[in-house]
Amino acid sequence: MSKLWGGRFTKQTNALVEQYTASIGFDKQLAEEDIQGSLAHVSMLGKCGIVPQEDVESIKSGLNKVLERIRKGEIEFSVSDEDIHMNIEKNLIEEVGPVGGKLHTGRSRNDQVATDMHLYLRNRVVELTGMLHELQTALIGQAKDNLDTIIPGYTHLQRAQPILFAHHLMAYVSMFQRDIGRLIDSYKRINILPLGAGALAGTTFPIDRHFVAEQLGFDGVYENSLDAVSDRDFILEFLSDASMIMMHLSRLSEELVLWSSTEFNFIELDDAFCTGSSIMPQKKNPDVPELVRGKTGRVYGNLMGLFTVLKSLPLAYNKDMQEDKEGMFDTVATLEGALQLFAPMIATMKVNKGRMREAVNTDFSNATDIADFLVGKGLPFRQAHEVIGKTVLYCIQNNKFLLDLTLEEFQQFSPLFDDSIYQVLQPETVVNARNVYGGTATPQVKAAIDRAEQALSVSAEWIQAHSAGANK
């Protein structure tokens, strides 16, 4: 039999079965990780005296040659060899002879594939954290440039209260900081070694799992062999974290689309991140944020897909679990693609400060401050609320805004109004009146930027430290 596991079988595998069950079409992305794990495993086999050192060196040399050929694109992976593990092992045996068959001593494809995915996600989490760091840097840069830019703040997509545009941008910095925190926390559960669990019960060979973990830069090993080969929580956790990142990107995307429309005209995205129309030459379409908004659904789908695969699976490994990889690869590619574009798109975004100020001057988003003014004069808030409601209605009926009213017009609604109301209603006054921790006042936003930059320094240190560990 041509199969490496074919000794027990009397017939060749049906060709359709080979095509249907093979995973090499997608798990070839794990080639680097598979060889990385195999090098550590065979080193351990030599250290423990399970495989002669001469054979260990031959296998390691062969694995490095196979890796070099893969990197050069010289190896054609075969569906008949099912997956990346068998393809690499077959090429190894062709390279070094029957001694290559000793590599699989003391392990199974079950713990091998789990190890590959731990290695793969470990690297991706560090990379994605770095990309989020770059996006935060771009947002903070725009916030610093817009500490004097006032924009309408919205609830229900209706103008609510004026805020600093920098304050709005820093809200997303906070969201992405939570995302970074979740990725960093997930790393703890990703960076655990399953290798050595065998098919499900461990192995009869006197292996040293902790040595392998040290060689690969893992923080520890799985305590239970059944759990080691069947656990996919770490992938679910990553997909969940990725879904939240995409949700945050989608929310920002929606605002970029709105803000760049003629109706808002608050921003202009750089030409490099927009496309045109095949029929309407005047069009400049915000395709990048639109597509990110759309691709969020596929990331959600990958999360729910794996949840569904794992539902009711008995211990330990089942072939169903082969379905854990394509969604993971797709999510990584989708998220990396979005983040690679978002940071430079935000950094090159032009802000129409004049249009934002015009919008603030032509609405009633400063109405709450009139109520606060009257409360300060001793009027109960509920009565003040009613007074301002009637004042706003009067403005609407007379095609005016609050700052257009004369003092006499104000005083027909309450004798408590005086000339100071005009300073109270100025957008800068309204914004800076909210000088509480987390508020939109300029000093508070500057402080928030300082705190965010301190957090960036911490995450940069983590990225640097774990980039070295992930590439060990």
Side-chain angles (χ1 to χ4, degrees), residues 23 40 44 65 163 202 211 285 289 329 385 436 454:
S23 60
M44 178 274 296
K65 288 178 182 178
I163 59 172
F211 173 81
N285 299 326
F329 293 144
H385 189 285
V436 295
Q454 291 173 11

Side-chain angles (χ1 to χ4, degrees), residues 75-146:
I75 289 182
E76 184 175 344
F77 296 116
S78 170
V79 170
S80 64
D81 292 320
E82 302 174 24
D83 54 37
I84 188 60
H85 325 296
M86 304 299 277
N87 270 268
I88 287 176
E89 186 172 337
K90 188 170 184 178
N91 276 276
L92 173 65
I93 291 172
E94 290 174 357
E95 188 74 44
V96 302
V99 69
K102 294 184 178 182
L103 171 63
H104 209 54
T105 305
R107 75 176 184 185
S108 161
R109 280 187 293 178
N110 294 356
D111 58 348
Q112 186 180 357
V113 67
T115 300
D116 290 358
M117 289 189 293
H118 278 270
L119 289 168
Y120 173 85
L121 267 191
R122 183 176 72 177
N123 292 338
R124 301 295 85 74
V125 161
V126 175
E127 291 172 1
L128 289 167
T129 301
M131 291 179 181
L132 284 168
H133 183 278
E134 292 301 313
L135 177 52
Q136 286 182 304
T137 300
L139 286 164
I140 290 173
Q142 284 284 5
K144 286 182 173 180
D145 291 340
N146 287 280

Side-chain angles (χ1 to χ4, degrees), residues 181-359:
R182 277 185 283 267
L183 287 177
I184 289 175
D185 193 61
S186 74
Y187 190 94
K188 301 172 187 175
R189 285 165 290 283
I190 293 171
N191 206 35
I192 303 174
L193 177 71
L195 200 63
L200 78 162
T203 177
T204 59
F205 294 97
I207 63 174
D208 185 344
R209 297 182 66 203
H210 291 90
F211 173 81
V212 178
E214 182 180 352
Q215 292 294 299
L216 292 173
F218 283 103
D219 294 327
V221 301
Y222 274 86
E223 294 291 328
N224 183 285
S225 61
L226 289 165
D227 185 41
V229 298
S230 63
D231 172 38
R232 295 298 183 268
D233 293 359
F234 68 102
I235 302 179
L236 284 171
E237 185 174 1
F238 167 74
L239 294 177
S240 177
D241 294 344
S243 294
M244 277 191 275
I245 296 170
M246 287 299 293
M247 179 267 289
H248 291 149
L249 288 174
S250 182
R251 295 183 74 176
L252 180 52
S253 293
E254 172 70 5
E255 298 203 303
L256 294 176
V257 171
L258 288 173
W259 290 343
S260 60
S261 68
T262 303
E263 286 71 21
F264 278 79
N265 194 24
F266 286 172
I267 64 161
E268 181 182 359
L269 297 177
D270 191 87
D271 285 359
F273 300 96
C274 297
T275 63
S277 166
S278 63
I279 189 173
M280 296 168 284
Q282 82 281 7
K283 293 292 293 301
K284 181 177 177 180
N285 299 326
D287 277 9
V288 170
E290 287 179 350
L291 197 53
V292 169
R293 188 176 59 186
K295 285 180 178 291
T296 301
R298 70 190 294 155
V299 175
Y300 291 178
N302 291 334
L303 171 62
M304 295 312 300
L306 185 55
F307 264 125
T308 306
V309 167
L310 295 174
K311 174 187 174 294
S312 302
L313 280 188
L315 292 175
Y317 182 83
N318 299 270
K319 191 66 170 179
D320 315 47
M321 296 168 75
Q322 183 171 292
E323 291 294 303
D324 58 2
K325 299 174 193 63
E326 288 180 277
M328 178 182 70
F329 293 144
D330 181 73
T331 292
V332 167
T334 301
L335 192 50
E336 286 182 343
L339 290 172
Q340 285 171 347
L341 290 171
F342 243 88
M345 182 173 64
I346 292 295
T348 57
M349 176 180 73
K350 294 178 182 178
V351 178
N352 190 342
K353 298 185 180 185
R355 171 62 188 130
M356 290 180 176
R357 180 55 182 250
E358 179 187 349

